Amino acid sequence: MNYYSETYHESTQYEPHGSGDPIVLHWENQLLPDFRFEGCQRFPLTASKCILHSPVFADGLPSVAVFAVVFDDDVPAGVYYFDVRSQELVRVGDKNAALSVCSAFPESDLLKQSQAMFVYCGVMAQNVWRFKEAAYRRVQIDVGAACANTMLFAKSQGKKVFPLGGFVDDSVAVALKLPSAVIPLAALVQFPENSMVAFNSEDDGFGEFAYSNRNEEPVVSADPLMAESNARYPSRFMLQNRCECINDLSKCVKVRRVSSSALPGDEFPLTPAKFSNEYYMREMWYLSSQENLARPFVRRTVDLDDFSTMLRWLEMGPVTAFGGGLLKIWVVVFDVMFVYSGVYRYVPFRKSIYMQASEVNAKKFTKCFAVPEQAANASFALFVTADLKEACGVLGERAYRYLNLNAGFLLESLNMACRFLNKDSFVDHYVYQDELKKLCFVPEGESLLACALVGKCK
């Protein structure tokens, strides 16, 4: 029996007439979320909170809404909306509202000792017109990228930030008074450097783990009694969201899994990072925000040290932020100095790439994208896959959300590393999965989640 996540993912592969239509979804009847919050108290964003540094991947569309839950800081305790345009915190709830949000998390007592907790919500209203049924998974990737921003910048300040993927979804949505087109997807909790809770993080329940909802009653069922409830969801992504939701944390299982074993294939150890980690953390503050737009690459050879540095810097943030060991990282090399062209698997913890295929046809590779010209002349490509059946067997239907969040986290980390080294990266949303998997010898059971192209633009 297939998990619904498998069915949903397959239905969102790029087909011009086969991935759903926003008109059929009657999305025009949905009101756009109003985040102006007129009349609410506003506080300037201080250096202690660095939430979104640069735009994320949804082509300039507003795809992420961030709320902050604060108990003891430089602003009164309560719930705040982060206004990206004005760089202000807008108070939308008092201390009781903050307690209501925390009660949806299993670590609610520990959250009250934190400096702040950020709740990341996906905004569907405009993205559904561009990505149709695939909007939900695209927004999840954007949320993962936004979380990478927060974690990397907080780390550069010496703070401790932990991802929280397990929470009762509906309770968070009600506590934040979210409209139906705004969906809570992830949370990050931030502790000051001298916090003993952060120091003893593994014992207190924070770290690289995820809550599996596989023991909860499935939403999707062939039972005639369930058919009526399933019919309440007019789109596949709404039903996918219900499958992922946690309703009762007492039925969930905490899972921690990190894979770092060697892979079959010739091993190529990466060279040391070109610059120190201290350089990365210091220079991060001087990166200017830039739009992630598709621009044609020029033919350019990437230096081996730059290539190795970009991959090794992926570990500046936890590569398994929302429950790990389930993503597979692939690297397709076209024009990298002293590295044979071919297909490789990358294992971050071992600092090595493993050759899976000794050659790859560059022209056929570009035809795996809806706009081949955007993929031409790329120096290398990085894409992530996962075995959805394996992942859902470990983490339930919620695994799909964790996988996309982790994928977005990796792509944003790669984007920042490219900008450090004066390179350009572009995340292509429209990829022909079957053709790319066949060309790169990806196992049949794995599904493509996201793909980034790296090179040098004009």
Side-chain angles (χ1 to χ4, degrees):
M1 175 180 176
N2 287 344
Y3 292 93
Y4 187 74
S5 294
E6 297 178 84
T7 303
Y8 170 73
H9 183 82
E10 288 300 321
S11 73
T12 60
Q13 301 311 306
Y14 182 68
E15 298 177 16
H17 304 291
S19 57
D21 193 319
I23 297 177
V24 175
L25 301 180
H26 298 289
W27 204 256
E28 72 279 4
N29 296 328
Q30 291 282 351
L31 296 177
L32 291 176
D34 186 356
F35 292 127
R36 291 173 295 179
F37 298 112
E38 295 180 357
C40 295
Q41 287 181 289
R42 290 176 172 264
F43 299 87
L45 189 69
T46 63
S48 64
K49 297 181 182 66
C50 195
I51 302 172
L52 289 177
H53 176 70
S54 60
V56 285
F57 293 127
D59 299 342
L61 297 174
S63 58
V64 182
V66 185
F67 292 85
V69 178
V70 179
F71 285 105
D72 184 16
D73 207 336
D74 46 8
V75 296
V79 177
Y80 294 82
Y81 169 71
F82 174 54
D83 191 332
V84 179
R85 293 184 177 179
S86 64
Q87 293 290 300
E88 292 177 319
L89 293 174
V90 185
R91 196 173 192 221
V92 296
D94 57 13
K95 186 175 182 179
N96 290 331
L99 292 173
S100 297
V101 175
C102 292
S103 65
F105 292 80
E107 305 87 359
S108 57
D109 292 336
L110 299 179
L111 297 180
K112 299 171 187 176
Q113 305 175 41
S114 66
Q115 192 172 34
M117 180 176 69
F118 306 115
V119 181
Y120 292 80
C121 304
V123 181
M124 305 297 300
Q126 293 177 335
N127 291 276
V128 72
W129 292 99
R130 173 157 173 74
F131 301 116
K132 301 182 181 180
E133 283 284 358
Y136 183 58
R137 58 186 295 255
R138 300 301 175 191
V139 166
Q140 287 180 332
I141 291 174
D142 287 347
V143 168
C147 291
N149 267 297
T150 302
M151 296 189 74
L152 290 172
F153 279 92
K155 187 176 179 180
S156 69
Q157 293 179 319
K159 294 181 174 61
K160 305 293 184 182
V161 181
F162 301 96
L164 302 177
F167 52 85
V168 181
D169 299 69
D170 290 342
S171 296
V172 173
V174 170
L176 294 177
K177 300 179 182 179
L178 299 178
S180 59
V182 180
I183 303 170
L185 293 174
L188 297 176
V189 59
Q190 175 179 293
F191 290 92
E193 186 177 13
N194 59 357
S195 170
M196 291 305 296
V197 174
F199 182 77
N200 298 320
S201 59
E202 290 187 9
D203 295 335
D204 287 331
F206 292 106
E208 295 174 349
F209 65 82
Y211 277 89
S212 169
N213 70 342
R214 67 177 184 270
N215 291 330
E216 294 196 334
E217 183 179 359
V219 175
V220 179
S221 173
D223 190 336
L225 297 177
M226 292 291 293
E228 183 178 353
S229 63
N230 292 342
R232 292 186 298 129
Y233 306 104
S235 66
R236 287 189 293 272
F237 70 75
M238 284 181 162
L239 190 52
Q240 172 64 28
N241 174 255
R242 297 317 305 171
C243 290
E244 295 175 9
C245 281
I246 289 177
N247 301 310
D248 187 352
L249 280 166
S250 66
K251 296 180 180 179
C252 295
V253 179
K254 191 191 304 183
V255 178
R256 178 174 181 143
R257 178 186 176 190
V258 178
S259 176
S260 60
S261 59
L263 296 172
D266 294 336
E267 180 179 4
F268 292 84
L270 300 175
T271 61
K274 195 171 186 179
F275 300 102
S276 65
N277 292 349
E278 290 74 17
Y279 170 87
Y280 181 100
M281 292 300 180
R282 183 181 68 252
E283 296 299 316
M284 183 188 305
W285 290 89
Y286 301 102
L287 283 179
S288 59
S289 298
Q290 66 178 27
E291 293 182 326
N292 197 321
L293 300 177
R295 293 173 293 172
F297 294 113
V298 296
R299 189 175 298 277
R300 191 71 58 85
T301 299
V302 171
D303 182 79
L304 173 61
D305 290 337
D306 287 350
F307 173 75
S308 297
T309 300
M310 281 184 274
L311 294 182
R312 296 188 69 164
W313 271 353
L314 294 181
E315 286 192 82
M316 293 300 294
V319 294
T320 55
F322 291 93
L326 298 172
L327 276 185
K328 282 80 171 177
I329 305 175
W330 298 76
V331 182
V332 184
V333 175
F334 298 107
D335 198 355
V336 177
M337 189 179 298
F338 304 126
V339 178
Y340 295 116
S341 298
V343 181
Y344 299 82
R345 278 278 305 277
Y346 174 48
V347 180
F349 302 102
R350 299 187 65 89
K351 310 293 191 298
S352 297
I353 56 176
Y354 297 82
M355 178 174 281
Q356 307 298 298
S358 58
E359 60 181 29
V360 61
N361 189 306
K363 290 185 177 180
K364 289 184 178 180
F365 181 84
T366 60
K367 293 181 180 178
C368 296
F369 298 83
V371 184
E373 294 78 10
Q374 293 178 357
N377 296 325
S379 300
F380 70 92
L382 183 145
F383 62 91
V384 290
T385 64
D387 185 332
L388 294 183
K389 190 177 294 294
E390 173 198 19
C392 291
V394 174
L395 295 169
E397 298 281 5
R398 200 173 183 85
Y400 190 67
R401 178 186 300 187
Y402 295 142
L403 292 170
N404 284 319
L405 291 173
N406 280 330
F409 194 102
L410 282 172
L411 296 184
E412 177 66 6
S413 297
L414 177 66
N415 177 47
M416 294 186 69
C418 290
R419 290 159 63 191
F420 273 120
L421 300 173
N422 197 28
K423 303 294 187 296
D424 298 287
S425 69
F426 166 63
V427 177
D428 201 315
H429 300 291
Y430 299 124
V431 183
Y432 295 100
Q433 171 175 294
D434 292 340
E435 286 80 353
L436 183 62
K437 286 171 53 180
K438 183 178 179 180
L439 181 66
C440 298
F441 302 96
V442 177
E444 182 66 27
E446 295 184 18
S447 299
L448 177 70
L449 298 178
C451 179
L453 305 166
V454 179
K456 184 64 179 175
C457 298
K458 295 180 180 179

